Amino acid sequence: MYPEFDYKSILESISGGFLALNQDFSITYWNHAAEEGTGLKSEEVLGKHIFEIFPNAKGAPLGETYKLAMETQTFQSIETAYKDDKFETWYDIRMYPATSGLSVFFQDITRRKQDERQREIMAEISHVINTSRHLDELCVSAGEQISRIFEISPRLISVFLFDHHNNEIRLVAPALLDVDFAPDTVHQKVDSSSPRLAARVAKDKTPVVTDDLSLSTVGSTLRGEFEKQKIKTLIVMPLIVQGELQGVVEAVTMKDKNYVASEIELLTLVAGELAGGMSRKRLIDEIRRKNVELEEQTLKTQEASETLKKFLAMFSHELRSPLNSIIGFSDLLATQLEELPQTSVEEFMKNINASGKHLQLIINDILDLSKIESGTLDLHIASYPVSYFQESIRRVLSASIQEKHINLEFAFSPEFDEIVVDQTRFKQILINLVSNAIKFSDQGGTVRISSVREGNDMQFEVRDHGIGIKAADVPHLFKPFKQAADGKEMNRKGIGLGLAITKKLIELHGGTIWIDSTWGEGSTVSFRIPLVIDVSTELGKQGEMLLEVLKRENKPLRNEERPLALVVEDSPQAAELMKMHIESAGYRVVIAKDGAEAVEMSKELRPSVITLDLMLPVKDGWQVMKELKRHPLCKHIPIVIVSIIDEKNLGFGLGAVDYFVKPVNRDDLIKALDRVHLVRKPGERPPTVLAIDDDKSATDLIQLILESEGYRVLKANDGKQGVEIAVREHPDLIILDIVMPEMSGFDVAQELKQIPASRDIPIIILTSMDIDETEQAELSEFVSGLMKKGAFTKRDLLREIAHIGPEK
């Protein structure tokens, strides 16, 4: 044995802690390093049982190791941790047997353990990043790994992804199957004033450590688990790469918030790696998406090229056949008319007529498809009796029905007597489908046309019992210039556009189409379109979707008869000011506070005019305009934009009739409303319209349309007379034809603008002539609107007038 002085000197000089135990596990020695490492002085521990000083060791692996060393008198070692709500310390403990008990050396290895754990966690995070198939899976797996760091349930770790398009963070982890979070919890707008801590951290890009657990995303939902695991601190950290936000992570720990430095250090490393992984994953996903889009675009280009080749080949062939007949038979008639018998002449004329109609049909199909593809085909939605379409089908297809002795059956649902559709295009849909069914039916076969109501949709079916369609051909039938291989002989006159056009027209109505067919047994073509129930005025039931655009009466207007204005404005003060302005102009006013409410109120109330702010919650003004202009019942409602955003060109491009930048002047606003809604004021004479056209039937039609709407109509049959009446009567509006004898419409417009008495009268051109860009530019100085004779309807005329309005 060493002298006692030397023994103590050695034990006191070592860096590690040392303690000695007698055979009763009482502490007989406690060196200075042990005091510093544990915070316990020697006088506090000497003579006391080891488990009295360290009660957590009893029954734990450390306590069992003490017993094993003492009982077997063999060397033992163990690495163990001491944890509480403040500290986590790791020790390497070595126990040497002695005759009097045990000599125990212990070393603080916390730093080494933390480094090892960091390496393990970072390796796991890297593995998760490399093996995750998509961002959501990465977030869930990363949340599970972070839960290991804090030794808590993965359900208590929240990981958000940042969506830069919507400026929001989306909760991805925990992936709870048994808990539904509120939508405003899952989707949080990134805002410093948000009630959600995660959203504020995303905005400020600064970590937050707090003991206010109510700020936790999952805290209110999983309060029981927080209490069970004795959670004390919440750490919220942004996931950032090169200054760009990728997401947010929320972690909770059992430690006091003043003692989480090591957790924050480790979480910061994990957050950096995770943010980098998210960024790379986004980039890879974007590259993949771009590659897919490029492949799709390349495929579309190839298909378009092939389609164009087929089209040119087929179109040239289909044009030559009727042209050859027309040229050949007309040449015979021109050169040998006197020599030909009357029966041959009649036969030749019939062939020329049939070939001309076939040629017209081909050209119309091509033009229809071109308009649909270019987005220039507009639907004219109105309400029509279902019986009208039944009669139309029988009339148009009577020759085909009689030729094949087809039994045509109709079974339209009694649930709706009228439907709201584009009359011409809906008739075209039914005729195309029924015509096909007749072509592919046997002699004396039956074709059945039926309809049923399916929820808020109308479903129509055209059923035949003909040859049917092979399953391989069905997917291609709605593509242009495609025909079923086995049906070409029965459809020689077609070029494969009928079903393609039909599909596009149904989609324009908001519907879908499909085919069920059994080869050799027949086919059923079905389509659905939304059921629009017209509950408007009698005028609306007759097909006029423009709701009370022109209300004129000689007596003062009652409150319920005043036109309705919808003010879309989220600021209560601004909305109230707009309401006061508009009510003073003779309108009733309702207010929508956000974009979604504006769309729903427009559909339900169908106001006469809408004033629209662009900066709106839920849906912005641009989205509201797009939705309303696409909706058949709302597309014709005039919209006046009133916003702090000065984007006039875009506003007019989307269909606005006027645009004001706040603050708006009351008089300017009322003038704009007058332009879109002709409100007659008490005591005024009915608005007067002068129609100038050498075609008497045209002026009679205008008179018939407008007098039923309360207008006074004057008529002139030539330009000179029109100028005289305009100067004498000073009408509110002139409707003018371009092509007239002696004095053309161009001359009339120029002369009217040079005479002070008629200079300010708005002019609408109504002509059958095609106006090129040069002529349009020339006319634009003199006229306010332009309509084509062959296509205008009552609604078109009223809409043009409503858009001009009185300017006096």
Side-chain angles (χ1 to χ4, degrees):
M1 288 288 296
Y2 291 101
E4 184 178 349
F5 174 78
D6 292 337
Y7 170 75
K8 288 186 177 181
S9 296
I10 294 172
L11 292 177
E12 294 299 327
S13 65
I14 62 176
S15 60
F18 172 80
L19 63 94
L21 298 176
N22 62 22
Q23 293 181 346
D24 296 327
F25 291 98
S26 296
I27 300 172
T28 59
Y29 193 90
W30 189 263
N31 77 346
H32 182 69
E35 289 182 337
E36 289 187 339
T38 64
L40 298 172
K41 299 297 183 180
S42 60
E43 57 266 23
E44 296 178 66
V45 301
L46 290 176
K48 293 183 180 179
H49 196 285
I50 186 68
F51 293 156
E52 182 182 352
I53 301 301
F54 300 109
N56 290 340
K58 187 176 182 180
L62 175 59
E64 296 303 314
T65 305
Y66 275 124
K67 292 179 180 179
L68 181 64
M70 186 74 77
E71 291 171 358
T72 62
Q73 286 292 294
T74 58
F75 167 76
Q76 301 292 331
S77 67
I78 187 173
E79 290 183 354
T80 186
Y82 173 77
K83 299 179 183 179
D84 58 24
D85 61 351
K86 297 178 181 179
F87 300 108
E88 177 184 345
T89 308
W90 281 86
Y91 295 100
D92 177 13
I93 301 177
R94 299 168 186 247
M95 306 170 188
Y96 297 89
T99 55
S100 58
L102 291 177
S103 297
V104 181
F105 293 88
F106 59 95
Q107 191 77 29
D108 188 332
I109 57 170
T110 304
R111 185 72 256 179
R112 174 168 66 83
K113 280 294 185 179
Q114 288 175 344
D115 290 343
E116 288 176 359
R117 186 169 62 165
Q118 282 185 10
R119 287 194 296 270
E120 290 174 3
I121 293 294
M122 297 307 290
E124 290 292 341
I125 291 293
S126 296
H127 177 72
V128 163
I129 292 171
N130 293 329
T131 57
S132 295
R133 292 164 296 178
H134 47 74
L135 277 168
D136 282 19
E137 181 182 334
L138 170 59
C139 292
V140 172
S141 299
E144 293 171 352
Q145 292 302 321
I146 294 171
S147 72
R148 289 181 54 209
I149 300 173
F150 293 93
E151 297 183 355
I152 57 175
S153 167
R155 291 158 60 90
L156 306 186
I157 303 294
S158 301
V159 183
F160 294 82
L161 269 178
F162 177 57
D163 179 357
H164 68 276
H165 293 295
N166 297 315
N167 192 38
E168 67 177 25
I169 53 173
R170 175 171 62 87
L171 180 63
V172 179
L176 296 179
L177 300 178
D178 55 341
V179 177
D180 289 327
F181 287 119
D184 62 346
T185 299
V186 177
H187 299 275
Q188 300 182 20
K189 284 292 181 184
V190 175
D191 191 339
S192 295
S193 61
S194 172
R196 306 283 183 179
L197 180 58
R200 298 201 298 271
V201 167
K203 178 64 176 179
D204 300 337
K205 297 181 180 178
T206 303
V208 170
V209 180
T210 178
D211 55 8
D212 185 355
L213 300 180
S214 66
L215 297 174
S216 167
T217 297
V218 299
S220 59
T221 305
L222 302 175
R223 185 180 293 109
E225 291 194 35
F226 271 50
E227 294 173 354
K228 182 179 179 181
Q229 298 196 35
K230 299 180 180 180
I231 300 300
K232 291 189 175 181
T233 304
L234 169 66
I235 305 171
V236 186
M237 190 166 291
L239 304 174
I240 300 173
V241 175
Q242 296 180 345
E244 292 188 1
L245 182 69
Q246 302 296 322
V248 173
V249 61
E250 280 189 19
V252 292
T253 175
M254 297 172 281
K255 281 191 178 181
D256 185 280
K257 75 170 186 176
N258 297 316
Y259 299 91
V260 292
S262 61
E263 281 76 7
I264 292 175
E265 178 186 353
L266 184 52
L267 189 59
T268 300
L269 290 174
V270 172
E273 187 74 12
L274 181 56
M278 286 180 171
S279 179
R280 293 192 297 275
K281 190 71 71 176
R282 285 181 194 271
L283 181 60
I284 292 170
D285 289 348
E286 184 68 17
I287 292 172
R288 285 174 179 164
R289 188 178 64 80
K290 292 291 184 184
N291 286 338
V292 170
E293 288 178 357
L294 183 60
E295 289 175 5
E296 289 177 350
Q297 196 60 45
T298 302
L299 184 60
K300 287 179 181 178
T301 303
Q302 292 172 347
E303 289 179 350
S305 177
E306 290 298 316
T307 300
L308 180 59
K309 290 177 184 177
K310 292 177 181 178
F311 164 69
L312 292 175
M314 182 177 291
F315 192 50
S316 61
H317 169 74
E318 293 297 332
L319 285 179
R320 282 196 186 99
S321 298
L323 280 174
N324 285 340
S325 296
I326 293 169
I327 293 170
F329 286 118
S330 61
D331 185 55
L332 287 173
L333 292 173
T335 58
Q336 303 178 30
L337 180 60
E338 295 179 358
E339 303 170 14
L340 293 171
Q342 183 63 28
T343 54
S344 294
V345 171
E346 291 175 358
E347 189 64 30
F348 291 173
M349 294 296 288
K350 287 179 181 178
N351 277 316
I352 291 172
N353 181 263
S355 297
K357 287 181 178 178
H358 183 206
L359 193 59
Q360 182 185 39
L361 182 64
I362 293 172
I363 293 171
N364 286 343
D365 279 351
I366 295 294
L367 292 176
D368 279 349
L369 189 63
S370 175
K371 286 180 182 178
I372 294 169
E373 295 291 353
S374 64
T376 58
L377 182 67
D378 293 325
L379 297 184
H380 300 282
I381 301 297
S383 182
Y384 299 96
V386 176
S387 58
Y388 167 82
F389 299 102
Q390 181 174 331
E391 295 163 3
S392 296
I393 293 170
R394 288 193 183 278
R395 185 175 63 254
V396 173
L397 299 177
S398 59
S400 301
I401 295 169
Q402 292 174 10
E403 181 183 348
K404 297 189 74 172
H405 303 290
I406 296 296
N407 177 29
L408 206 59
E409 294 181 352
F410 289 91
F412 287 146
S413 171
E415 288 192 63
F416 41 86
D417 296 328
E418 296 192 352
I419 55 177
V420 180
V421 291
D422 181 301
Q423 172 210 7
T424 303
R425 298 305 177 181
F426 191 74
K427 182 169 68 175
Q428 184 177 353
I429 290 168
L430 289 177
I431 288 174
N432 275 348
L433 297 181
V434 176
S435 175
N436 277 348
I438 292 173
K439 285 176 189 175
F440 296 103
S441 290
D442 299 326
Q443 284 284 338
T446 297
V447 173
R448 189 173 190 268
I449 306 98
S450 61
S451 69
V452 293
R453 178 170 180 171
E454 294 286 348
N456 293 323
D457 294 331
M458 294 180 291
Q459 181 167 314
F460 290 82
E461 292 184 352
V462 178
R463 169 73 171 159
D464 68 71
H465 301 278
I467 64 170
I469 305 166
K470 290 183 176 178
D473 288 330
V474 171
H476 306 291
L477 291 179
F478 294 115
K479 296 179 181 179
F481 315 111
K482 296 287 187 180
Q483 295 177 325
D486 295 281
K488 288 183 178 178
E489 276 302 307
M490 305 181 75
N491 193 23
R492 292 176 190 161
K493 294 183 179 180
I495 61 172
L497 288 180
L499 281 177
I501 292 171
T502 298
K503 180 176 184 289
K504 298 285 186 181
L505 292 177
I506 289 170
E507 289 172 349
L508 282 177
H509 279 83
T512 56
I513 184 173
W514 65 95
I515 296 176
D516 297 306
S517 185
T518 303
W519 175 244
E521 296 182 13
S523 305
T524 301
V525 183
S526 308
F527 69 91
R528 280 188 183 185
I529 61 173
L531 173 62
V532 181
I533 302 174
D534 188 2
V535 293
S536 63
T537 61
E538 189 62 31
L539 176 67
K541 292 181 181 178
Q542 294 169 358
E544 303 304 327
M545 288 293 116
L546 199 59
L547 300 177
E548 300 182 28
V549 172
L550 305 168
K551 282 191 175 181
R552 302 176 186 82
E553 303 224 6
N554 293 321
K555 61 181 184 302
L557 295 173
R558 298 193 303 271
N559 182 64
E560 66 270 22
E561 293 176 323
R562 285 186 293 144
L564 179 65
L566 172 61
V567 172
V568 187
E569 174 62 71
D570 62 321
S571 166
Q573 295 82 7
E576 190 60 31
L577 182 62
M578 292 287 293
K579 181 180 179 183
M580 291 172 59
H581 287 343
I582 296 170
E583 283 181 341
S584 70
Y587 285 73
R588 291 177 293 135
V589 177
V590 292
I591 296 172
K593 298 181 181 63
D594 60 55
E597 189 179 27
V599 173
E600 292 306 312
M601 290 178 71
S602 298
K603 293 176 183 177
E604 179 183 353
L605 302 177
R606 283 176 272 175
S608 303
V609 65
I610 297 170
T611 69
L612 177 65
D613 187 13
L614 297 178
M615 302 290 288
L616 295 170
V618 187
K619 290 181 181 178
D620 64 27
W622 300 124
Q623 183 63 32
V624 171
M625 283 195 70
K626 288 177 184 176
E627 289 190 27
L628 292 181
K629 290 303 178 184
R630 285 198 296 259
H631 195 280
L633 298 181
C634 301
K635 64 189 295 186
H636 300 306
I637 300 175
I639 297 175
V640 177
I641 295 177
V642 181
S643 181
I644 59 173
I645 302 175
D646 191 0
E647 288 281 2
K648 289 185 175 67
N649 290 337
L650 181 56
F652 289 131
L654 287 174
V657 297
D658 218 326
Y659 197 118
F660 295 99
V661 179
K662 292 179 181 177
V664 62
N665 178 274
R666 175 187 178 277
D667 293 335
D668 291 341
L669 177 61
I670 292 175
K671 285 179 183 177
L673 295 178
D674 284 343
R675 281 196 292 274
V676 300
H677 189 94
L678 292 179
V679 179
R680 183 182 166 209
K681 296 177 177 59
E684 291 186 354
R685 64 178 174 83
T688 302
V689 176
L690 170 61
I692 307 174
D693 197 325
D694 63 317
D695 182 357
K696 185 176 181 300
S697 63
T699 56
D700 287 346
L701 178 60
I702 291 170
Q703 182 179 23
L704 183 66
I705 290 174
L706 296 183
E707 283 186 347
S708 68
E709 293 297 317
Y711 287 89
R712 172 174 171 251
V713 180
L714 305 173
K715 297 186 289 186
N717 293 323
D718 60 60
K720 183 178 179 181
Q721 183 188 15
V723 172
E724 292 173 355
I725 295 175
V727 173
R728 183 177 71 248
E729 297 287 339
H730 198 71
D732 297 290
L733 176 70
I734 295 172
I735 299 175
L736 175 65
D737 186 21
I738 290 291
V739 182
M740 294 186 294
E742 297 181 13
M743 191 175 187
S744 73
F746 289 99
D747 298 331
V748 172
Q750 289 178 353
E751 186 165 335
L752 288 172
K753 291 302 177 183
Q754 291 170 1
I755 301 171
S758 59
R759 181 177 299 150
D760 297 328
I761 303 174
I763 298 172
I764 293 176
I765 296 296
L766 178 61
T767 183
S768 57
M769 175 179 168
D770 285 328
I771 307 294
D772 60 27
E773 292 183 3
T774 303
E775 290 168 327
Q776 283 187 29
E778 183 180 346
L779 277 171
S780 65
E781 300 177 24
F782 310 109
V783 305
S784 304
L786 177 66
M787 290 192 298
K788 297 297 291 293
K789 269 187 178 179
F792 94 95
T793 64
K794 178 179 180 179
R795 184 177 62 257
D796 297 326
L797 179 56
L798 295 181
R799 186 171 64 245
E800 284 293 330
I801 295 173
H803 283 179
I804 295 169
E807 297 184 355
K808 300 189 288 251

